[in-house]
Amino acid sequence: MSKVEFKMPKLGESITEAAIITWFKNVGDTIEEDEMLLEVATDKVDSEVPSNVSGVIEEILFDANEVIKIGETIAIIKADGDVAESKKQSKKADKKPEQKKTEKPKAPKRPKLDPVASSGQFSVSNSNTFFSPLIIKIAKEHHISFEELARISATGHEGRLRKSDIFQYIEEGRPYKFAQPVAQQDPTAYRIPQLNFDKGKGKVIEMDRMRQMIADHMVYSKHTSPHVTAYVEADLTNMVNWRNANKKAFQEKHGERLTFTPLFVEAVAKAVKDFPNINASVDGKNIIVKEDINIGMATALPSGNLIVPVVKNADTKDLKALATNVNELANKARENNLKADDIQGSTFTISNVGTFGSVMGTPIINQPEVAILALGIIKKRPEVITTEKGDEIAIRSMMYLSLSFDHRVVDGFLGGSFVRRVADYFEQFDVNRTI
């Protein structure tokens, strides 16, 4: 008989932690090797995790919804060798009213904070302003400022805030979300009004977990980055004509469909190389300019939710490799088969809003990136062009491009120059290019 520590497995490059969604087994249950033990979530991808041994579940160390670091022990399994005896013990354990090993000690009850009379303001309750990385992560996910954190009563050692404190505060409805500092006594100062909105009546649809994560991510992005949007239009006639003339031959030669997406990714990657500061993220007061150019593609799932699979090192791939990569990711998204690695590591994102018939869009930045490009519908319309004969009116395939960028680190010159360069690469497409 041997006890095996089941650890949170590695789920993809750069992934350091995962949240437990549900356990498929309970303490005392028998499990076979490669049988699914639990389901975990990393960012937007859910993954089922199999057991690496056969045996009996002796102990489950974490509950659903807890965030666990990769490599940390999450369960103890009595491996085969004395499984029969373990089953008998597990049956006896099932008769007990409680399974003490899986119970978590309840956090001490937090004292309520008293509002300052007649002002609607609240005093800071925590003298210790040290917050662990986990607390900061939870606060960011729920858009809780440091000032609001400081108002939450702490039950940890030396007055430190615990995970249970912040989750209990959230369950209480975040009563200090809009609290003003006590020192702010200026009667002319702006205070957020207490508004009671009429939400109306109708069918109530509960957000699924992915929709909640998307909502949190979008609100966090708008809250974090001051968004500015720059627009240009591009003449895609040469690209459209070349693609239409070569898509059949391309598929026959390479076995891959030639959509516009790999052509867009190719041009965007070239523009990113020309303007590397657009390929960045913000870390406090530092700007991190990324070495790799990984292009994320905002993609709709069958459920209607949004996900961003990533073309890694897009600047190093030829058109065949890009088409293969794009088609593979698109198929995985449609079949709900994307893995954690498929959506990790993007440094710049494009969103093809034209797929749904939109002329243009104002996309929200995919954090922690500093810009996102929306590509509108390709639409034929009469345009004035300059030829050897002078100005003429011709039917051209036109597109609007809109770049949303983080004005903390991207100014108008960089943002405008970058989106203009992308449009130039679209317009200057080589019609004599071979496949």
Side-chain angles (χ1 to χ4, degrees), residues 110 148 167-178:
R110 298 192 297 111
E148 188 177 353
F167 279 135
Q168 184 175 338
Y169 170 72
I170 292 170
E171 290 177 2
E172 291 172 355
R174 293 175 59 184
Y176 315 128
K177 183 176 182 179
F178 301 122

mmCIF file with all atom_site columns, all heavy atoms in Angstrom, residues 110 148 167-178:
data_model
loop_
_atom_site.group_PDB
_atom_site.id
_atom_site.type_symbol
_atom_site.label_atom_id
_atom_site.label_alt_id
_atom_site.label_comp_id
_atom_site.label_asym_id
_atom_site.label_entity_id
_atom_site.label_seq_id
_atom_site.pdbx_PDB_ins_code
_atom_site.Cartn_x
_atom_site.Cartn_y
_atom_site.Cartn_z
_atom_site.occupancy
_atom_site.B_iso_or_equiv
_atom_site.pdbx_formal_charge
_atom_site.auth_seq_id
_atom_site.auth_comp_id
_atom_site.auth_asym_id
_atom_site.auth_atom_id
_atom_site.pdbx_PDB_model_num
ATOM 1   N N   . ARG A 1 110 ? -16.002 38.184 10.761 1.00 0.00 ? 110 ARG A N   1
ATOM 2   C CA  . ARG A 1 110 ? -15.441 39.519 10.663 1.00 0.00 ? 110 ARG A CA  1
ATOM 3   C C   . ARG A 1 110 ? -16.383 40.533 11.279 1.00 0.00 ? 110 ARG A C   1
ATOM 4   O O   . ARG A 1 110 ? -17.592 40.474 11.076 1.00 0.00 ? 110 ARG A O   1
ATOM 5   C CB  . ARG A 1 110 ? -15.210 39.911 9.185  1.00 0.00 ? 110 ARG A CB  1
ATOM 6   C CG  . ARG A 1 110 ? -14.235 39.009 8.486  1.00 0.00 ? 110 ARG A CG  1
ATOM 7   C CD  . ARG A 1 110 ? -13.815 39.586 7.151  1.00 0.00 ? 110 ARG A CD  1
ATOM 8   N NE  . ARG A 1 110 ? -14.954 39.689 6.250  1.00 0.00 ? 110 ARG A NE  1
ATOM 9   C CZ  . ARG A 1 110 ? -15.489 40.837 5.857  1.00 0.00 ? 110 ARG A CZ  1
ATOM 10  N NH1 . ARG A 1 110 ? -15.022 41.971 6.305  1.00 0.00 ? 110 ARG A NH1 1
ATOM 11  N NH2 . ARG A 1 110 ? -16.487 40.862 5.034  1.00 0.00 ? 110 ARG A NH2 1
ATOM 12  N N   . GLU A 1 148 ? -10.319 50.456 -1.262 1.00 0.00 ? 148 GLU A N   1
ATOM 13  C CA  . GLU A 1 148 ? -11.444 49.633 -0.812 1.00 0.00 ? 148 GLU A CA  1
ATOM 14  C C   . GLU A 1 148 ? -10.944 48.432 -0.009 1.00 0.00 ? 148 GLU A C   1
ATOM 15  O O   . GLU A 1 148 ? -11.558 48.040 0.992  1.00 0.00 ? 148 GLU A O   1
ATOM 16  C CB  . GLU A 1 148 ? -12.247 49.158 -2.028 1.00 0.00 ? 148 GLU A CB  1
ATOM 17  C CG  . GLU A 1 148 ? -13.550 48.456 -1.669 1.00 0.00 ? 148 GLU A CG  1
ATOM 18  C CD  . GLU A 1 148 ? -14.352 48.059 -2.882 1.00 0.00 ? 148 GLU A CD  1
ATOM 19  O OE1 . GLU A 1 148 ? -13.971 48.449 -4.017 1.00 0.00 ? 148 GLU A OE1 1
ATOM 20  O OE2 . GLU A 1 148 ? -15.349 47.346 -2.710 1.00 0.00 ? 148 GLU A OE2 1
ATOM 21  N N   . PHE A 1 167 ? -13.551 37.330 0.128  1.00 0.00 ? 167 PHE A N   1
ATOM 22  C CA  . PHE A 1 167 ? -14.706 36.672 -0.466 1.00 0.00 ? 167 PHE A CA  1
ATOM 23  C C   . PHE A 1 167 ? -15.967 36.920 0.365  1.00 0.00 ? 167 PHE A C   1
ATOM 24  O O   . PHE A 1 167 ? -17.060 37.084 -0.196 1.00 0.00 ? 167 PHE A O   1
ATOM 25  C CB  . PHE A 1 167 ? -14.454 35.176 -0.613 1.00 0.00 ? 167 PHE A CB  1
ATOM 26  C CG  . PHE A 1 167 ? -13.638 34.820 -1.821 1.00 0.00 ? 167 PHE A CG  1
ATOM 27  C CD1 . PHE A 1 167 ? -12.590 33.913 -1.737 1.00 0.00 ? 167 PHE A CD1 1
ATOM 28  C CD2 . PHE A 1 167 ? -13.898 35.400 -3.057 1.00 0.00 ? 167 PHE A CD2 1
ATOM 29  C CE1 . PHE A 1 167 ? -11.832 33.595 -2.847 1.00 0.00 ? 167 PHE A CE1 1
ATOM 30  C CE2 . PHE A 1 167 ? -13.150 35.078 -4.169 1.00 0.00 ? 167 PHE A CE2 1
ATOM 31  C CZ  . PHE A 1 167 ? -12.110 34.187 -4.066 1.00 0.00 ? 167 PHE A CZ  1
ATOM 32  N N   . GLN A 1 168 ? -15.835 36.961 1.686  1.00 0.00 ? 168 GLN A N   1
ATOM 33  C CA  . GLN A 1 168 ? -16.996 37.262 2.522  1.00 0.00 ? 168 GLN A CA  1
ATOM 34  C C   . GLN A 1 168 ? -17.465 38.689 2.274  1.00 0.00 ? 168 GLN A C   1
ATOM 35  O O   . GLN A 1 168 ? -18.663 38.968 2.208  1.00 0.00 ? 168 GLN A O   1
ATOM 36  C CB  . GLN A 1 168 ? -16.647 37.077 3.999  1.00 0.00 ? 168 GLN A CB  1
ATOM 37  C CG  . GLN A 1 168 ? -17.852 37.282 4.925  1.00 0.00 ? 168 GLN A CG  1
ATOM 38  C CD  . GLN A 1 168 ? -17.528 36.978 6.366  1.00 0.00 ? 168 GLN A CD  1
ATOM 39  O OE1 . GLN A 1 168 ? -16.581 36.252 6.656  1.00 0.00 ? 168 GLN A OE1 1
ATOM 40  N NE2 . GLN A 1 168 ? -18.302 37.540 7.274  1.00 0.00 ? 168 GLN A NE2 1
ATOM 41  N N   . TYR A 1 169 ? -16.497 39.591 2.093  1.00 0.00 ? 169 TYR A N   1
ATOM 42  C CA  . TYR A 1 169 ? -16.838 40.990 1.793  1.00 0.00 ? 169 TYR A CA  1
ATOM 43  C C   . TYR A 1 169 ? -17.590 41.087 0.468  1.00 0.00 ? 169 TYR A C   1
ATOM 44  O O   . TYR A 1 169 ? -18.581 41.828 0.356  1.00 0.00 ? 169 TYR A O   1
ATOM 45  C CB  . TYR A 1 169 ? -15.549 41.812 1.748  1.00 0.00 ? 169 TYR A CB  1
ATOM 46  C CG  . TYR A 1 169 ? -15.721 43.213 1.222  1.00 0.00 ? 169 TYR A CG  1
ATOM 47  C CD1 . TYR A 1 169 ? -16.352 44.197 1.968  1.00 0.00 ? 169 TYR A CD1 1
ATOM 48  C CD2 . TYR A 1 169 ? -15.242 43.553 -0.039 1.00 0.00 ? 169 TYR A CD2 1
ATOM 49  C CE1 . TYR A 1 169 ? -16.511 45.481 1.475  1.00 0.00 ? 169 TYR A CE1 1
ATOM 50  C CE2 . TYR A 1 169 ? -15.394 44.831 -0.538 1.00 0.00 ? 169 TYR A CE2 1
ATOM 51  C CZ  . TYR A 1 169 ? -16.022 45.800 0.224  1.00 0.00 ? 169 TYR A CZ  1
ATOM 52  O OH  . TYR A 1 169 ? -16.180 47.065 -0.271 1.00 0.00 ? 169 TYR A OH  1
ATOM 53  N N   . ILE A 1 170 ? -17.149 40.332 -0.529 1.00 0.00 ? 170 ILE A N   1
ATOM 54  C CA  . ILE A 1 170 ? -17.833 40.345 -1.829 1.00 0.00 ? 170 ILE A CA  1
ATOM 55  C C   . ILE A 1 170 ? -19.243 39.795 -1.691 1.00 0.00 ? 170 ILE A C   1
ATOM 56  O O   . ILE A 1 170 ? -20.199 40.335 -2.267 1.00 0.00 ? 170 ILE A O   1
ATOM 57  C CB  . ILE A 1 170 ? -17.012 39.535 -2.856 1.00 0.00 ? 170 ILE A CB  1
ATOM 58  C CG1 . ILE A 1 170 ? -15.694 40.262 -3.168 1.00 0.00 ? 170 ILE A CG1 1
ATOM 59  C CG2 . ILE A 1 170 ? -17.811 39.327 -4.147 1.00 0.00 ? 170 ILE A CG2 1
ATOM 60  C CD1 . ILE A 1 170 ? -14.717 39.432 -3.970 1.00 0.00 ? 170 ILE A CD1 1
ATOM 61  N N   . GLU A 1 171 ? -19.398 38.709 -0.911 1.00 0.00 ? 171 GLU A N   1
ATOM 62  C CA  . GLU A 1 171 ? -20.728 38.131 -0.699 1.00 0.00 ? 171 GLU A CA  1
ATOM 63  C C   . GLU A 1 171 ? -21.661 39.114 0.005  1.00 0.00 ? 171 GLU A C   1
ATOM 64  O O   . GLU A 1 171 ? -22.880 39.071 -0.189 1.00 0.00 ? 171 GLU A O   1
ATOM 65  C CB  . GLU A 1 171 ? -20.602 36.849 0.126  1.00 0.00 ? 171 GLU A CB  1
ATOM 66  C CG  . GLU A 1 171 ? -19.960 35.692 -0.635 1.00 0.00 ? 171 GLU A CG  1
ATOM 67  C CD  . GLU A 1 171 ? -19.782 34.469 0.230  1.00 0.00 ? 171 GLU A CD  1
ATOM 68  O OE1 . GLU A 1 171 ? -20.197 34.535 1.414  1.00 0.00 ? 171 GLU A OE1 1
ATOM 69  O OE2 . GLU A 1 171 ? -19.240 33.463 -0.258 1.00 0.00 ? 171 GLU A OE2 1
ATOM 70  N N   . GLU A 1 172 ? -21.113 39.991 0.831  1.00 0.00 ? 172 GLU A N   1
ATOM 71  C CA  . GLU A 1 172 ? -21.924 40.983 1.532  1.00 0.00 ? 172 GLU A CA  1
ATOM 72  C C   . GLU A 1 172 ? -22.344 42.136 0.624  1.00 0.00 ? 172 GLU A C   1
ATOM 73  O O   . GLU A 1 172 ? -23.054 43.047 1.052  1.00 0.00 ? 172 GLU A O   1
ATOM 74  C CB  . GLU A 1 172 ? -21.144 41.537 2.727  1.00 0.00 ? 172 GLU A CB  1
ATOM 75  C CG  . GLU A 1 172 ? -20.942 40.512 3.841  1.00 0.00 ? 172 GLU A CG  1
ATOM 76  C CD  . GLU A 1 172 ? -20.007 41.018 4.926  1.00 0.00 ? 172 GLU A CD  1
ATOM 77  O OE1 . GLU A 1 172 ? -19.441 42.132 4.742  1.00 0.00 ? 172 GLU A OE1 1
ATOM 78  O OE2 . GLU A 1 172 ? -19.831 40.329 5.942  1.00 0.00 ? 172 GLU A OE2 1
ATOM 79  N N   . GLY A 1 173 ? -21.915 42.080 -0.638 1.00 0.00 ? 173 GLY A N   1
ATOM 80  C CA  . GLY A 1 173 ? -22.321 43.109 -1.581 1.00 0.00 ? 173 GLY A CA  1
ATOM 81  C C   . GLY A 1 173 ? -21.374 44.293 -1.680 1.00 0.00 ? 173 GLY A C   1
ATOM 82  O O   . GLY A 1 173 ? -21.736 45.337 -2.218 1.00 0.00 ? 173 GLY A O   1
ATOM 83  N N   . ARG A 1 174 ? -20.153 44.138 -1.158 1.00 0.00 ? 174 ARG A N   1
ATOM 84  C CA  . ARG A 1 174 ? -19.149 45.206 -1.207 1.00 0.00 ? 174 ARG A CA  1
ATOM 85  C C   . ARG A 1 174 ? -19.722 46.537 -0.701 1.00 0.00 ? 174 ARG A C   1
ATOM 86  O O   . ARG A 1 174 ? -19.870 47.502 -1.459 1.00 0.00 ? 174 ARG A O   1
ATOM 87  C CB  . ARG A 1 174 ? -18.594 45.364 -2.619 1.00 0.00 ? 174 ARG A CB  1
ATOM 88  C CG  . ARG A 1 174 ? -17.775 44.182 -3.092 1.00 0.00 ? 174 ARG A CG  1
ATOM 89  C CD  . ARG A 1 174 ? -17.344 44.321 -4.522 1.00 0.00 ? 174 ARG A CD  1
ATOM 90  N NE  . ARG A 1 174 ? -16.548 45.518 -4.733 1.00 0.00 ? 174 ARG A NE  1
ATOM 91  C CZ  . ARG A 1 174 ? -16.093 45.933 -5.904 1.00 0.00 ? 174 ARG A CZ  1
ATOM 92  N NH1 . ARG A 1 174 ? -16.378 45.228 -6.975 1.00 0.00 ? 174 ARG A NH1 1
ATOM 93  N NH2 . ARG A 1 174 ? -15.388 47.021 -6.018 1.00 0.00 ? 174 ARG A NH2 1
ATOM 94  N N   . PRO A 1 175 ? -20.061 46.625 0.574  1.00 0.00 ? 175 PRO A N   1
ATOM 95  C CA  . PRO A 1 175 ? -20.713 47.838 1.100  1.00 0.00 ? 175 PRO A CA  1
ATOM 96  C C   . PRO A 1 175 ? -19.853 49.089 1.023  1.00 0.00 ? 175 PRO A C   1
ATOM 97  O O   . PRO A 1 175 ? -20.387 50.190 1.126  1.00 0.00 ? 175 PRO A O   1
ATOM 98  C CB  . PRO A 1 175 ? -21.014 47.468 2.567  1.00 0.00 ? 175 PRO A CB  1
ATOM 99  C CG  . PRO A 1 175 ? -20.045 46.376 2.890  1.00 0.00 ? 175 PRO A CG  1
ATOM 100 C CD  . PRO A 1 175 ? -19.884 45.600 1.628  1.00 0.00 ? 175 PRO A CD  1
ATOM 101 N N   . TYR A 1 176 ? -18.549 48.962 0.836  1.00 0.00 ? 176 TYR A N   1
ATOM 102 C CA  . TYR A 1 176 ? -17.685 50.145 0.832  1.00 0.00 ? 176 TYR A CA  1
ATOM 103 C C   . TYR A 1 176 ? -17.138 50.436 -0.560 1.00 0.00 ? 176 TYR A C   1
ATOM 104 O O   . TYR A 1 176 ? -16.123 51.097 -0.723 1.00 0.00 ? 176 TYR A O   1
ATOM 105 C CB  . TYR A 1 176 ? -16.540 49.961 1.831  1.00 0.00 ? 176 TYR A CB  1
ATOM 106 C CG  . TYR A 1 176 ? -17.029 49.415 3.141  1.00 0.00 ? 176 TYR A CG  1
ATOM 107 C CD1 . TYR A 1 176 ? -16.451 48.292 3.715  1.00 0.00 ? 176 TYR A CD1 1
ATOM 108 C CD2 . TYR A 1 176 ? -18.120 49.997 3.783  1.00 0.00 ? 176 TYR A CD2 1
ATOM 109 C CE1 . TYR A 1 176 ? -16.935 47.765 4.899  1.00 0.00 ? 176 TYR A CE1 1
ATOM 110 C CE2 . TYR A 1 176 ? -18.614 49.481 4.969  1.00 0.00 ? 176 TYR A CE2 1
ATOM 111 C CZ  . TYR A 1 176 ? -18.020 48.364 5.520  1.00 0.00 ? 176 TYR A CZ  1
ATOM 112 O OH  . TYR A 1 176 ? -18.507 47.849 6.685  1.00 0.00 ? 176 TYR A OH  1
ATOM 113 N N   . LYS A 1 177 ? -17.834 49.900 -1.581 1.00 0.00 ? 177 LYS A N   1
ATOM 114 C CA  . LYS A 1 177 ? -17.368 50.054 -2.953 1.00 0.00 ? 177 LYS A CA  1
ATOM 115 C C   . LYS A 1 177 ? -17.238 51.521 -3.357 1.00 0.00 ? 177 LYS A C   1
ATOM 116 O O   . LYS A 1 177 ? -16.291 51.919 -4.024 1.00 0.00 ? 177 LYS A O   1
ATOM 117 C CB  . LYS A 1 177 ? -18.336 49.347 -3.901 1.00 0.00 ? 177 LYS A CB  1
ATOM 118 C CG  . LYS A 1 177 ? -17.917 49.369 -5.362 1.00 0.00 ? 177 LYS A CG  1
ATOM 119 C CD  . LYS A 1 177 ? -18.885 48.550 -6.189 1.00 0.00 ? 177 LYS A CD  1
ATOM 120 C CE  . LYS A 1 177 ? -18.469 48.514 -7.651 1.00 0.00 ? 177 LYS A CE  1
ATOM 121 N NZ  . LYS A 1 177 ? -19.391 47.703 -8.471 1.00 0.00 ? 177 LYS A NZ  1
ATOM 122 N N   . PHE A 1 178 ? -18.210 52.324 -2.954 1.00 0.00 ? 178 PHE A N   1
ATOM 123 C CA  . PHE A 1 178 ? -18.209 53.728 -3.336 1.00 0.00 ? 178 PHE A CA  1
ATOM 124 C C   . PHE A 1 178 ? -17.912 54.645 -2.161 1.00 0.00 ? 178 PHE A C   1
ATOM 125 O O   . PHE A 1 178 ? -18.261 55.826 -2.173 1.00 0.00 ? 178 PHE A O   1
ATOM 126 C CB  . PHE A 1 178 ? -19.560 54.119 -3.951 1.00 0.00 ? 178 PHE A CB  1
ATOM 127 C CG  . PHE A 1 178 ? -19.904 53.316 -5.173 1.00 0.00 ? 178 PHE A CG  1
ATOM 128 C CD1 . PHE A 1 178 ? -21.070 52.575 -5.226 1.00 0.00 ? 178 PHE A CD1 1
ATOM 129 C CD2 . PHE A 1 178 ? -19.040 53.281 -6.248 1.00 0.00 ? 178 PHE A CD2 1
ATOM 130 C CE1 . PHE A 1 178 ? -21.390 51.832 -6.345 1.00 0.00 ? 178 PHE A CE1 1
ATOM 131 C CE2 . PHE A 1 178 ? -19.349 52.532 -7.379 1.00 0.00 ? 178 PHE A CE2 1
ATOM 132 C CZ  . PHE A 1 178 ? -20.529 51.817 -7.421 1.00 0.00 ? 178 PHE A CZ  1
#
